[in-house]
């Protein structure tokens, strides 16, 4: 990403700057507090005990969430091998009627062995409330009302919310989410960590990996702080050269969902209309979730020859469990004989990076290493999540915006309630009707 590797619109060493952590407000780094949770704290023990209970009693654990209540768990499930017998499923991130109908048809036969975790920080999100109501009715019809409190949990950090109140009334156990941590920064809280425990993984290892990154990323100097360096490369590419697109491209199928987690983190945290001083800035870096080697044959043409307005970050490392070998005696394919797929995918990443460099496109690789065993492990995933969270916080601070709010999401929610005629939105309905009448 740096000059002279890339010369056109490249960041020079002298552009990089020291960053004082005193520029953060205390409440900015609440996601950091999560990772310093003591291994023996009652919270850690509760997550473990609940995970054990679910593993012992249920064949299927269903995450019912959207946005930050969903994407972190998906990234964990995609990246790591499940060690328990409890299958993990997801519903609620889309109100697609066919998806909902097919899903419930599929799980009907094992419904008594299925447990749902309804996750909503606000406890008001209409997609989640709708699916929650559907689940309650489905359980009532198929198993009977007594199963509602046995087969449903609610995770929320809003005791005032409708979800919390209805849950209490129905006798459903409520798991308390961290109220100070925004959804998209919550993967290392109970929201993601319960999923990990149900998978038979040790949630403490995720936190250990995150702490390692935190320790290594505390210097004000970007050359001794990788998360800061990553943030500065994004920031300077944007500010100096208008590169307002950030592609994250893991070379591993198992990190496909991680790229989607990153996409939400970057989009909702950094895309803002107003800066901290109240000026209209309409700022942001558009995140693209890409995947190697698949997208070499779909996206790379644009990255190489389209507008020079992006930076590409590959994620790679010794993260594979297997290495199937190619064996052939066919003359014209001899160059592939004896190659393992590990070598092949590694060469593909390298070749793509070289082609980007040749075309003067900023790119870099985050290399996952130092894993105790081959393959991806919870510690590395914890570190990877935290690396991006920290870099995002740095970047938001440099852009002088509120990284942790999402007024653009709230507006859509407000209109949805208005159109659905939710009580309390009568005035908005009148205003909207008048607006629509006037075209
Ligand atoms: O990260 C965010 O803040 C949002 O994307 C939320 O995750 C999303 O809107 C769902 O909100 P909630 O968890 O309150 O249901």
């Amino acid at each position: 990403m740096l000059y002279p590797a890339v010369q056109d619109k490249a960041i020079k060493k002298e552009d990089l700057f020291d960053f004082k952590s005193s520029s953060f407000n205390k409440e900015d780094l609440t996601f950091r507090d999560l990772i310093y949770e003591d291994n023996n704290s009652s919270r850690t023990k509760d997550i473990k005990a609940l995970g054990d209970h679910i593993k012992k009693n249920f064949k299927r654990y269903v995450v019912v969430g959207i946005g930050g209540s969903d994407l972190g768990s998906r990234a964990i499930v995609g990246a790591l091998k499940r060690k328990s017998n409890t299958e993990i499923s997801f519903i609620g991130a889309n109100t697609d009627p066919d998806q909902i109908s097919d899903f419930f048809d599929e799980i009907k036969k094992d419904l008594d062995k299925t447990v749902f975790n309804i996750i909503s920080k606000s406890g008001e999100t209409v997609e989640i409330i709708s699916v929650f109501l559907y689940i309650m009715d489905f359980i009532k019809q198929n198993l009977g009302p007594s199963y509602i409190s046995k087969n449903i949990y609610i995770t929320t950090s809003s005791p005032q919310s409708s979800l919390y109140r209805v849950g209490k009334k129905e006798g459903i156990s409520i798991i308390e989410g961290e109220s100070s941590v925004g959804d998209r920064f919550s993967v290392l809280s109970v929201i993601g960590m319960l999923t990990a425990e149900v998978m038979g993984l040790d949630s403490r290892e995720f936190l250990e990996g995150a702490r390692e990154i935190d320790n290594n990323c505390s210097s004000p100097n970007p050359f001794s702080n990788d998360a800061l360096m990553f943030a500065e490369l994004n920031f300077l590419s944007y500010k100096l050269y208008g590169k307002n697109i950030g592609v994250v491209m893991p070379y591993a199928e198992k990190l496909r969902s991680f790229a989607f987690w990153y996409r939400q983190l970057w989009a909702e945290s950094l895309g803002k209309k107003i800066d901290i001083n109240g000026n209209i800035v309409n700022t942001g870096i558009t995140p693209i979730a890409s995947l190697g080697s698949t997208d070499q044959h779909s996206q790379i043409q644009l990255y190489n020859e389209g507008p020079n307005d992006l930076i590409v970050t590959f994620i790679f490392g010794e993260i594979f469990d297997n290495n199937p070998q190619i064996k052939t005696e066919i003359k014209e394919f001899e160059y592939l004989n004896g190659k393992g797929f590990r070598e092949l995918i590694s060469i593909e990443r390298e070749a793509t990076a070289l082609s980007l460099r040749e075309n003067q496109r900023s790119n870099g690789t985050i290399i996952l290493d130092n894993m105790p065993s081959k393959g991806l492990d919870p510690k590395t995933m914890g570190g990877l999540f935290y690396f991006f969270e920290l870099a995002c916080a740095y970047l938001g601070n440099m852009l002088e915006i509120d990284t942790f709010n999402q007024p653009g999401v709230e507006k859509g929610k407000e209109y949805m309630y208005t159109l659905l005629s939710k009580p309390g939105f009568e005035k908005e309905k009148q205003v909207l009707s008048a607006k629509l009448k006037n075209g």
Side-chain angles (χ1 to χ4, degrees), residues 340-351:
F341 276 89
R342 272 191 199 192
E343 190 184 350
L344 185 60
I345 199 165
S346 169
I347 287 174
E348 289 195 272
R349 184 207 55 83
E350 199 182 339

Side-chain angles (χ1 to χ4, degrees), residues 66-69 120-123 125 183-184 264 268 406 409 413:
I66 193 165
S69 301
S120 176
K121 181 180 155 78
S122 63
T125 304
D183 266 359
R184 53 189 176 275
Q264 186 211 11
E268 285 197 345
Q406 56 280 329
V409 178
K413 285 188 182 179

Side-chain angles (χ1 to χ4, degrees), residues 43 63 68 92 114 116 146 192 202 232 241 256 285 321 328 386:
R43 203 165 170 76
V63 175
T114 298
F116 299 88
S146 66
D202 187 346
E232 288 196 19
Y241 303 115
R256 180 194 279 270
I285 296 174
D321 301 305
T328 181
Y386 189 76

